Short mmCIF file of all heavy atoms in Angstrom, two decimals:
data_model
loop_
_atom_site.label_atom_id
_atom_site.label_comp_id
_atom_site.label_asym_id
_atom_site.label_seq_id
_atom_site.Cartn_x
_atom_site.Cartn_y
_atom_site.Cartn_z
N ALA A 1 0.82 -1.21 0.00
CA ALA A 1 0.00 0.00 0.00
C ALA A 1 0.85 1.26 0.00
O ALA A 1 1.98 1.26 0.48
CB ALA A 1 -0.92 -0.01 1.22
N PHE A 2 0.26 2.33 -0.50
CA PHE A 2 0.96 3.60 -0.66
C PHE A 2 1.64 4.05 0.63
O PHE A 2 2.64 4.69 0.62
CB PHE A 2 -0.01 4.68 -1.14
CG PHE A 2 0.66 5.97 -1.51
CD1 PHE A 2 1.15 6.16 -2.80
CD2 PHE A 2 0.84 6.97 -0.59
CE1 PHE A 2 1.78 7.35 -3.15
CE2 PHE A 2 1.47 8.15 -0.93
CZ PHE A 2 1.94 8.34 -2.22
N GLY A 3 1.10 3.65 1.73
CA GLY A 3 1.76 4.03 2.98
C GLY A 3 1.16 3.33 4.17
O GLY A 3 1.87 2.95 5.08
N GLY A 4 -0.17 3.16 4.17
CA GLY A 4 -0.81 2.68 5.39
C GLY A 4 -0.88 3.82 6.40
O GLY A 4 -1.83 3.98 7.14
N SER A 5 0.16 4.63 6.39
CA SER A 5 0.17 5.88 7.15
C SER A 5 1.16 6.80 6.45
O SER A 5 1.89 6.38 5.58
CB SER A 5 0.62 5.63 8.59
OG SER A 5 1.97 5.23 8.60
N PHE A 6 1.12 8.07 6.83
CA PHE A 6 2.08 9.02 6.24
C PHE A 6 2.86 9.68 7.37
O PHE A 6 2.55 10.77 7.81
CB PHE A 6 1.33 10.08 5.41
CG PHE A 6 0.72 9.54 4.17
CD1 PHE A 6 -0.61 9.17 4.14
CD2 PHE A 6 1.48 9.36 3.03
CE1 PHE A 6 -1.18 8.66 2.99
CE2 PHE A 6 0.93 8.84 1.88
CZ PHE A 6 -0.41 8.48 1.86
N PRO A 7 3.89 8.98 7.87
CA PRO A 7 4.59 9.49 9.05
C PRO A 7 5.26 10.84 8.80
O PRO A 7 5.45 11.60 9.74
CB PRO A 7 5.64 8.41 9.33
CG PRO A 7 5.79 7.65 8.05
CD PRO A 7 4.46 7.72 7.38
N ARG A 8 5.59 11.12 7.53
CA ARG A 8 6.26 12.39 7.26
C ARG A 8 5.57 13.10 6.10
O ARG A 8 6.20 13.55 5.15
CB ARG A 8 7.73 12.12 6.93
CG ARG A 8 8.53 11.67 8.15
CD ARG A 8 9.84 11.00 7.78
NE ARG A 8 10.58 11.72 6.77
CZ ARG A 8 11.30 11.13 5.83
NH1 ARG A 8 11.36 9.82 5.75
NH2 ARG A 8 11.97 11.83 4.94
N ARG A 9 4.25 13.20 6.20
CA ARG A 9 3.50 13.73 5.06
C ARG A 9 3.78 15.21 4.82
O ARG A 9 3.58 15.70 3.72
CB ARG A 9 2.00 13.47 5.22
CG ARG A 9 1.34 14.11 6.40
CD ARG A 9 -0.05 13.52 6.60
NE ARG A 9 -0.65 13.91 7.86
CZ ARG A 9 -1.60 14.82 7.99
NH1 ARG A 9 -2.06 15.46 6.95
NH2 ARG A 9 -2.10 15.11 9.17
N GLU A 10 4.25 15.91 5.87
CA GLU A 10 4.55 17.33 5.66
C GLU A 10 5.89 17.53 4.94
O GLU A 10 6.25 18.63 4.55
CB GLU A 10 4.52 18.10 6.99
CG GLU A 10 5.58 17.73 8.00
CD GLU A 10 5.36 16.35 8.65
OE1 GLU A 10 4.21 15.90 8.69
OE2 GLU A 10 6.35 15.74 9.09
N SER A 11 6.65 16.42 4.76
CA SER A 11 7.93 16.50 4.06
C SER A 11 7.72 16.29 2.56
O SER A 11 7.32 15.21 2.13
CB SER A 11 8.90 15.45 4.61
OG SER A 11 9.94 15.22 3.67
N TYR A 12 8.00 17.30 1.78
CA TYR A 12 7.81 17.22 0.32
C TYR A 12 8.69 16.12 -0.27
O TYR A 12 8.25 15.35 -1.13
CB TYR A 12 8.13 18.57 -0.32
CG TYR A 12 7.80 18.62 -1.80
CD1 TYR A 12 6.51 18.94 -2.23
CD2 TYR A 12 8.76 18.35 -2.78
CE1 TYR A 12 6.19 18.99 -3.59
CE2 TYR A 12 8.46 18.39 -4.12
CZ TYR A 12 7.17 18.71 -4.52
OH TYR A 12 6.86 18.75 -5.86
N ASP A 13 9.93 16.02 0.23
CA ASP A 13 10.85 15.02 -0.31
C ASP A 13 10.36 13.60 -0.03
O ASP A 13 10.52 12.70 -0.85
CB ASP A 13 12.26 15.21 0.28
CG ASP A 13 12.96 16.42 -0.32
OD1 ASP A 13 12.51 16.89 -1.38
OD2 ASP A 13 13.94 16.91 0.28
N PHE A 14 9.76 13.40 1.14
CA PHE A 14 9.22 12.09 1.50
C PHE A 14 8.08 11.71 0.54
O PHE A 14 8.03 10.59 0.02
CB PHE A 14 8.71 12.12 2.94
CG PHE A 14 7.96 10.87 3.35
CD1 PHE A 14 8.64 9.70 3.64
CD2 PHE A 14 6.57 10.88 3.45
CE1 PHE A 14 7.95 8.55 4.02
CE2 PHE A 14 5.88 9.74 3.83
CZ PHE A 14 6.57 8.57 4.12
N VAL A 15 7.18 12.65 0.30
CA VAL A 15 6.05 12.39 -0.60
C VAL A 15 6.56 12.16 -2.03
O VAL A 15 6.10 11.26 -2.74
CB VAL A 15 5.02 13.55 -0.55
CG1 VAL A 15 3.93 13.38 -1.61
CG2 VAL A 15 4.39 13.65 0.84
N LYS A 16 7.56 12.95 -2.43
CA LYS A 16 8.14 12.79 -3.77
C LYS A 16 8.72 11.38 -3.94
O LYS A 16 8.50 10.72 -4.96
CB LYS A 16 9.24 13.84 -3.97
CG LYS A 16 9.94 13.80 -5.32
CD LYS A 16 10.84 15.04 -5.47
CE LYS A 16 11.53 15.06 -6.83
NZ LYS A 16 12.73 14.23 -6.86
N GLU A 17 9.41 10.93 -2.91
CA GLU A 17 10.01 9.58 -2.94
C GLU A 17 8.91 8.50 -3.06
O GLU A 17 9.06 7.54 -3.81
CB GLU A 17 10.78 9.39 -1.62
CG GLU A 17 11.71 8.20 -1.59
CD GLU A 17 12.42 8.15 -0.23
OE1 GLU A 17 13.18 9.09 0.09
OE2 GLU A 17 12.19 7.18 0.49
N LYS A 18 7.80 8.70 -2.34
CA LYS A 18 6.68 7.76 -2.39
C LYS A 18 6.05 7.72 -3.79
O LYS A 18 5.68 6.64 -4.28
CB LYS A 18 5.61 8.15 -1.36
CG LYS A 18 5.95 7.76 0.06
CD LYS A 18 5.71 6.27 0.28
CE LYS A 18 5.85 5.87 1.73
NZ LYS A 18 5.71 4.42 1.89
N VAL A 19 5.90 8.89 -4.39
CA VAL A 19 5.29 8.95 -5.73
C VAL A 19 6.24 8.31 -6.75
O VAL A 19 5.81 7.54 -7.61
CB VAL A 19 4.94 10.40 -6.13
CG1 VAL A 19 4.38 10.46 -7.55
CG2 VAL A 19 3.93 11.00 -5.16
N GLU A 20 7.53 8.59 -6.64
CA GLU A 20 8.52 7.99 -7.55
C GLU A 20 8.53 6.47 -7.45
O GLU A 20 8.75 5.78 -8.44
CB GLU A 20 9.92 8.56 -7.24
CG GLU A 20 10.09 9.99 -7.70
CD GLU A 20 11.43 10.59 -7.27
OE1 GLU A 20 12.13 9.98 -6.43
OE2 GLU A 20 11.76 11.68 -7.78
N TYR A 21 8.27 5.95 -6.25
CA TYR A 21 8.25 4.51 -6.00
C TYR A 21 7.19 3.80 -6.86
O TYR A 21 7.30 2.62 -7.17
CB TYR A 21 7.97 4.29 -4.51
CG TYR A 21 8.03 2.86 -4.04
CD1 TYR A 21 9.25 2.22 -3.84
CD2 TYR A 21 6.86 2.15 -3.74
CE1 TYR A 21 9.32 0.91 -3.38
CE2 TYR A 21 6.92 0.83 -3.27
CZ TYR A 21 8.15 0.23 -3.09
OH TYR A 21 8.20 -1.06 -2.62
N THR A 22 6.17 4.56 -7.26
CA THR A 22 5.08 4.02 -8.08
C THR A 22 5.57 3.62 -9.47
O THR A 22 4.98 2.75 -10.11
CB THR A 22 3.97 5.10 -8.23
OG1 THR A 22 3.61 5.54 -6.92
CG2 THR A 22 2.74 4.56 -8.92
N PHE A 23 6.64 4.24 -9.93
CA PHE A 23 7.09 4.06 -11.32
C PHE A 23 8.44 3.36 -11.39
O PHE A 23 9.22 3.38 -10.44
CB PHE A 23 7.19 5.43 -12.02
CG PHE A 23 5.91 6.23 -11.96
CD1 PHE A 23 5.78 7.28 -11.08
CD2 PHE A 23 4.84 5.91 -12.79
CE1 PHE A 23 4.60 8.01 -11.01
CE2 PHE A 23 3.66 6.62 -12.73
CZ PHE A 23 3.54 7.68 -11.84
N TYR A 24 8.71 2.78 -12.55
CA TYR A 24 10.04 2.22 -12.81
C TYR A 24 11.04 3.38 -13.00
O TYR A 24 12.12 3.39 -12.42
CB TYR A 24 10.00 1.33 -14.06
CG TYR A 24 11.37 0.89 -14.52
CD1 TYR A 24 12.03 -0.16 -13.87
CD2 TYR A 24 12.02 1.50 -15.60
CE1 TYR A 24 13.29 -0.57 -14.27
CE2 TYR A 24 13.27 1.10 -16.01
CZ TYR A 24 13.91 0.06 -15.35
OH TYR A 24 15.15 -0.34 -15.76
N ASP A 25 10.63 4.34 -13.81
CA ASP A 25 11.47 5.52 -14.06
C ASP A 25 10.97 6.67 -13.18
O ASP A 25 9.88 7.19 -13.41
CB ASP A 25 11.37 5.91 -15.54
CG ASP A 25 12.19 7.15 -15.86
OD1 ASP A 25 12.88 7.68 -14.96
OD2 ASP A 25 12.13 7.61 -17.03
N PRO A 26 11.75 7.06 -12.17
CA PRO A 26 11.28 8.11 -11.26
C PRO A 26 10.96 9.43 -11.96
O PRO A 26 10.19 10.24 -11.45
CB PRO A 26 12.44 8.28 -10.27
CG PRO A 26 13.60 7.56 -10.85
CD PRO A 26 13.07 6.54 -11.80
N GLN A 27 11.52 9.62 -13.17
CA GLN A 27 11.23 10.85 -13.93
C GLN A 27 9.75 10.96 -14.30
O GLN A 27 9.25 12.05 -14.60
CB GLN A 27 12.07 10.90 -15.21
CG GLN A 27 13.57 10.97 -14.99
CD GLN A 27 13.98 12.22 -14.23
OE1 GLN A 27 13.59 13.33 -14.57
NE2 GLN A 27 14.75 12.04 -13.17
N THR A 28 9.04 9.82 -14.30
CA THR A 28 7.60 9.84 -14.61
C THR A 28 6.83 10.62 -13.56
O THR A 28 5.76 11.15 -13.83
CB THR A 28 7.05 8.39 -14.71
OG1 THR A 28 7.94 7.61 -15.51
CG2 THR A 28 5.67 8.34 -15.32
N ALA A 29 7.39 10.68 -12.35
CA ALA A 29 6.76 11.45 -11.26
C ALA A 29 7.08 12.93 -11.45
O ALA A 29 8.02 13.47 -10.87
CB ALA A 29 7.26 10.95 -9.91
N THR A 30 6.30 13.57 -12.29
CA THR A 30 6.53 14.99 -12.60
C THR A 30 6.27 15.84 -11.36
O THR A 30 5.58 15.41 -10.42
CB THR A 30 5.57 15.46 -13.72
OG1 THR A 30 4.22 15.27 -13.25
CG2 THR A 30 5.80 14.67 -15.00
N LYS A 31 6.79 17.07 -11.38
CA LYS A 31 6.55 17.98 -10.26
C LYS A 31 5.05 18.21 -10.08
O LYS A 31 4.55 18.26 -8.95
CB LYS A 31 7.27 19.30 -10.49
CG LYS A 31 7.14 20.24 -9.31
CD LYS A 31 7.92 21.52 -9.48
CE LYS A 31 7.85 22.37 -8.21
NZ LYS A 31 6.48 22.68 -7.75
N GLU A 32 4.33 18.30 -11.20
CA GLU A 32 2.89 18.52 -11.14
C GLU A 32 2.19 17.38 -10.38
O GLU A 32 1.32 17.61 -9.54
CB GLU A 32 2.34 18.61 -12.57
CG GLU A 32 0.87 18.94 -12.66
CD GLU A 32 0.38 18.93 -14.10
OE1 GLU A 32 1.04 18.34 -14.98
OE2 GLU A 32 -0.69 19.51 -14.33
N LEU A 33 2.62 16.16 -10.68
CA LEU A 33 2.04 14.98 -10.02
C LEU A 33 2.38 14.95 -8.54
O LEU A 33 1.52 14.70 -7.68
CB LEU A 33 2.53 13.71 -10.72
CG LEU A 33 1.88 12.39 -10.31
CD1 LEU A 33 0.39 12.39 -10.60
CD2 LEU A 33 2.55 11.23 -11.04
N VAL A 34 3.65 15.21 -8.22
CA VAL A 34 4.09 15.22 -6.82
C VAL A 34 3.35 16.32 -6.05
O VAL A 34 2.87 16.10 -4.93
CB VAL A 34 5.61 15.40 -6.70
CG1 VAL A 34 6.04 15.51 -5.23
CG2 VAL A 34 6.35 14.23 -7.37
N ASP A 35 3.22 17.50 -6.66
CA ASP A 35 2.48 18.60 -6.02
C ASP A 35 1.05 18.20 -5.70
O ASP A 35 0.52 18.51 -4.63
CB ASP A 35 2.46 19.83 -6.94
CG ASP A 35 3.81 20.54 -7.03
OD1 ASP A 35 4.71 20.18 -6.23
OD2 ASP A 35 3.97 21.42 -7.89
N GLU A 36 0.44 17.50 -6.65
CA GLU A 36 -0.96 17.08 -6.49
C GLU A 36 -1.10 16.12 -5.31
O GLU A 36 -1.99 16.28 -4.46
CB GLU A 36 -1.43 16.41 -7.78
CG GLU A 36 -2.92 16.20 -7.85
CD GLU A 36 -3.35 15.66 -9.22
OE1 GLU A 36 -2.63 15.90 -10.22
OE2 GLU A 36 -4.39 15.01 -9.26
N VAL A 37 -0.21 15.11 -5.25
CA VAL A 37 -0.27 14.14 -4.16
C VAL A 37 0.09 14.80 -2.83
O VAL A 37 -0.54 14.54 -1.80
CB VAL A 37 0.66 12.93 -4.45
CG1 VAL A 37 0.71 11.98 -3.25
CG2 VAL A 37 0.19 12.18 -5.69
N PHE A 38 1.07 15.70 -2.84
CA PHE A 38 1.47 16.42 -1.63
C PHE A 38 0.27 17.20 -1.07
O PHE A 38 0.02 17.20 0.14
CB PHE A 38 2.63 17.37 -1.94
CG PHE A 38 3.17 18.08 -0.72
CD1 PHE A 38 3.94 17.40 0.21
CD2 PHE A 38 2.92 19.43 -0.52
CE1 PHE A 38 4.44 18.05 1.34
CE2 PHE A 38 3.41 20.09 0.60
CZ PHE A 38 4.18 19.39 1.53
N GLY A 39 -0.47 17.84 -1.97
CA GLY A 39 -1.67 18.58 -1.56
C GLY A 39 -2.70 17.66 -0.93
O GLY A 39 -3.31 17.98 0.10
#
């Protein structure tokens, strides 16, 4: 699961790392996508 919890959800880098984990190529996790999930 995406997290089960978000222990560091206020950390942008943590959320970015989680979104990148979804893809084989971390570049697929665009800033727009990371911003959306962070929000």
Side-chain angles (χ1 to χ4, degrees):
F2 188 87
S5 66
F6 291 97
R8 290 162 45 216
R9 63 192 170 104
E10 65 288 335
S11 160
Y12 187 85
D13 286 343
F14 172 76
V15 173
K16 180 170 182 278
E17 193 179 297
K18 282 282 188 184
V19 177
E20 287 175 347
Y21 185 76
T22 307
F23 305 103
Y24 171 79
D25 178 2
Q27 296 299 310
T28 313
T30 60
K31 184 176 185 305
E32 185 183 19
L33 188 61
V34 176
D35 287 350
E36 192 174 335
V37 174
F38 184 73

